[in-house]
Amino acid sequence: MPSQTLKLTSFTFPAELPDNRANFRVVFDVKYWVGLGDAAKLKMANSIKPGIDTFWECDMDRVGRANFVRRINDEGTGFAPAVDVDGLAPWDREIITLDTTGLHSVRVKIYDVDRKGFWDKIKGTLGAIVEGVFGAGSRGASAAVPDALSDATGGSIDEISSYLVKKLSGGSDKVLFQKSDSPDTQGVVTISGMGTNGRGGTGPYELVLAFARESPPQESAG
């Protein structure tokens, strides 16, 4: 089964989004196929970018910070309402790599991050549950998940994982944008639409993702 990687190629947000809300952590819920024809199964995986202990900083007052990634505008006179995706490390551009026969769809949730002490607040509360879900596999995870959480998510280990990823990414009260879409014939997923502009109105968000087969190392001819 081929390994394929989903990569971020573009990320724009509303121009009027206040600087103090332009700090992003993004959850990607990916549905993908394993197998072909009647034997194919639909599975789900999750990814957090740039990570659960960091975020993409786009506050123009924080230029120079290690995680500042706002793109300079085309005129070179200031900043555009966009993440400088080309300037990201390859690791941060790569959303997820899967052994799959095809991509079904991608759901994106963009969070406005509370910069102060987030990881310290939640790691004690959710640490054991996360270890159970992400460390033990689906068989062992069911025993590690509290009944209330299992009931809230319908008992599906995929939905439980998604729920925990959401909590690890900033909670449920700071979602700036959420939408899903499927790839086109070229394997490109464009997820765009209106989300909060942080000023009581709405504004446009867009993320463009590319899904392509990985080329594994080849054996030496000699």
Side-chain angles (χ1 to χ4, degrees):
M1 194 180 312
S3 293
Q4 302 198 55
T5 298
L6 185 66
K7 297 182 180 182
L8 180 66
T9 64
S10 177
F11 178 178
T12 60
F13 51 89
E16 62 271 28
L17 188 71
D19 278 354
N20 65 356
R21 300 200 66 181
N23 45 95
F24 310 113
R25 187 176 291 120
V26 187
V27 173
F28 298 87
D29 293 327
V30 182
K31 285 188 176 181
Y32 63 101
W33 294 105
V34 175
L36 297 170
D38 292 341
K41 294 182 178 181
L42 192 60
K43 296 191 174 184
M44 188 169 79
N46 318 101
S47 177
I48 304 173
K49 286 295 176 176
I52 58 176
D53 58 349
T54 186
F55 53 90
W56 284 321
E57 178 65 85
C58 292
D59 184 340
M60 290 182 286
D61 290 336
R62 294 174 181 254
V63 176
R65 301 289 180 94
N67 61 336
F68 183 83
V69 294
R70 190 159 182 158
R71 181 167 61 80
I72 296 174
N73 62 24
D74 293 338
E75 296 76 23
T77 58
F79 290 98
V83 171
D84 180 15
V85 173
D86 291 339
L88 297 178
W91 182 276
D92 289 335
R93 291 197 301 269
E94 295 178 359
I95 304 305
I96 197 167
T97 298
L98 302 164
D99 291 333
T100 177
T101 49
L103 183 65
H104 177 277
S105 58
V106 181
R107 179 173 61 187
V108 166
K109 303 172 191 173
I110 302 175
Y111 291 89
D112 164 22
V113 176
D114 179 3
R115 293 184 179 92
K116 296 182 179 179
F118 164 77
W119 179 242
D120 289 335
K121 292 177 187 175
I122 59 87
K123 64 182 179 181
T125 304
L126 292 179
I129 301 174
V130 171
E131 183 178 355
V133 173
F134 294 105
S138 58
R139 178 178 298 180
S142 60
V145 177
D147 290 340
L149 177 55
S150 182
D151 292 344
T153 59
S156 163
I157 194 63
D158 285 338
E159 288 301 320
I160 290 169
S161 297
S162 180
Y163 174 86
L164 290 176
V165 167
K166 180 178 73 173
K167 288 300 183 185
L168 286 169
S169 302
S172 59
D173 60 341
K174 296 184 178 180
V175 177
L176 297 171
F177 173 76
Q178 176 175 321
K179 195 174 179 183
S180 63
D181 216 321
S182 298
D184 63 16
T185 56
Q186 303 302 312
V188 174
V189 186
T190 301
I191 302 176
S192 61
M194 304 301 285
T196 179
N197 66 2
R199 299 180 184 274
T202 60
Y205 289 80
E206 181 179 88
L207 290 89
V208 181
L209 315 170
F211 194 60
R213 182 169 180 169
E214 288 294 306
S215 299
Q218 303 298 315
E219 293 184 7
S220 172

